């Protein structure tokens, strides 16, 4: 699982972006991830007339990670998030937390400043270990 096919991830994220339901912001987002069990899962943003209820692309990505049944508790290994032009988009703060839960500090993210680990994108993160250690 050492080599990540970033162009394939970007292209899957772009394809997912095409499925976005974003009639309110008109800001379509797509996300794709390589998982620890070798799948590529994707997500897009899904907005709602009750604006605050809308789902970010990363949220539907995490749902897809578990959506088809995941007895092996798969992890996110590498993630790409793109805007409507296919350019890298930084996950919002809530989504960084979501990704951290399922990818941990070593998960790789394609950012606007290159491929970086989650430990840099969400430094000193609060996570599952904090609940265990106190
Ligand atoms: N959005 C995402 O899908 N992911 C992010 O990390 C940032 C924002 C979506 C939410 C909303 O549907 C639209 O982009 C505009 O904020």
């Amino acid at each position: 699982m050492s080599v990540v096919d970033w162009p394939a991830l970007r292209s899957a994220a772009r394809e997912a972006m095409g499925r976005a339901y974003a009639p309110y912001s008109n800001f379509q987002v797509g996300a794709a991830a390589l998982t620890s069990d070798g799948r590529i899962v994707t997500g897009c943003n899904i907005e709602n007339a009750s604006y605050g209820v809308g789902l970010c692309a990363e949220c539907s990505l995490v749902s897809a990670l578990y959506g088809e049944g995941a007895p092996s508790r798969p992890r996110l290994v590498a993630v790409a998030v793109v805007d409507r032009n296919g350019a890298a988009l930084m996950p919002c703060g809530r989504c960084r937390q979501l990704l951290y839960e399922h990818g941990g500090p070593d998960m790789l993210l394609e950012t606007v400043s290159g491929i970086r680990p989650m430990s840099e994108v969400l430094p000193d993160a609060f996570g599952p270990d904090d609940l265990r250690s106190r």
Side-chain angles (χ1 to χ4, degrees):
M1 190 58 66
S2 48
V3 180
V4 177
D5 185 347
W6 289 103
L9 267 192
R10 262 195 302 278
S11 144
R14 204 173 176 144
E15 201 178 308
M17 180 274 300
R19 297 192 287 273
Y21 175 73
Y24 305 108
S25 71
N26 200 30
F27 189 86
Q28 294 84 6
V29 182
L34 172 67
T35 69
S36 56
D37 54 1
R39 291 176 293 150
I40 288 187
V41 292
T42 63
C44 58
N45 54 334
I46 305 169
E47 297 185 344
N48 194 285
S50 177
Y51 298 160
V53 178
L55 305 176
C56 281
E58 297 90 331
C59 185
S60 49
L61 175 88
V62 168
S63 296
L65 179 68
Y66 283 87
E68 288 162 25
S72 65
R73 290 225 172 260
R75 304 281 292 162
L76 298 172
V77 173
V79 173
V81 183
V82 300
D83 66 14
R84 104 166 59 120
N85 301 312
L89 183 76
M90 293 308 290
C92 72
R94 180 177 188 271
C95 287
R96 293 181 198 203
Q97 186 72 32
L98 263 181
L99 294 174
Y100 184 85
E101 179 80 17
H102 300 284
D106 297 329
M107 190 206 92
L108 298 175
L109 179 73
E110 180 160 64
T111 76
V112 291
S113 50
I115 290 156
R116 298 167 70 190
M118 274 311 283
S119 55
E120 289 180 13
V121 177
L122 191 66
D124 301 325
F126 174 82
D129 288 347
D130 290 296
L131 296 178
R132 279 184 216 111
S133 65
R134 40 197 101 188

